């Protein structure tokens, strides 16, 4: 079940990536829901996902 939440979180973040404000809000929700090791995985995924999206890089401060 927990793995499903991680995958769902990635899907939601991809879908709202057109708006940095929504992206940050969904990222905040994800950080409250996910387990610590999933947050580590999400951080790695976010670095790759936001590499060519500088407008979303602002939200990376939430995971540090």
């Amino acid at each position: 079940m927990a793995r499903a939440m991680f995958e769902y979180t990635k899907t939601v973040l991809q879908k709202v990536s057109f708006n940095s404000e929504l992206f940050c809000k969904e990222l905040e929700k994800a950080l409250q829901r996910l387990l610590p090791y999933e947050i580590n995985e999400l951080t790695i995924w976010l670095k790759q996902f936001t590499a060519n999206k500088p407008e979303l890089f602002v939200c990376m401060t939430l995971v540090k």
Side-chain angles (χ1 to χ4, degrees):
M1 176 75 175
R3 193 72 188 166
M5 185 58 73
F6 177 71
E7 293 300 325
Y8 173 75
T9 298
K10 289 192 327 187
T11 303
V12 169
L13 289 173
Q14 288 172 340
K15 288 183 179 184
V16 299
S17 65
F18 67 92
N19 183 321
S20 62
E21 197 172 308
L22 278 174
F23 189 84
C24 287
K25 285 182 182 180
E26 289 298 329
L27 182 55
E28 284 177 8
K29 286 189 217 175
L31 294 174
Q32 293 172 1
R33 284 193 301 245
L34 296 176
L35 299 171
Y37 75 92
E38 291 175 322
I39 293 173
N40 292 338
E41 287 183 41
L42 185 66
T43 303
I44 294 166
W45 179 83
L46 282 169
K47 287 178 183 174
Q48 294 171 345
F49 184 72
T50 61
N52 61 349
K53 297 174 177 66
E55 67 278 4
L56 299 179
F57 196 71
V58 175
C59 303
M60 289 299 289
T61 58
L62 295 172
V63 293
K64 292 183 180 176

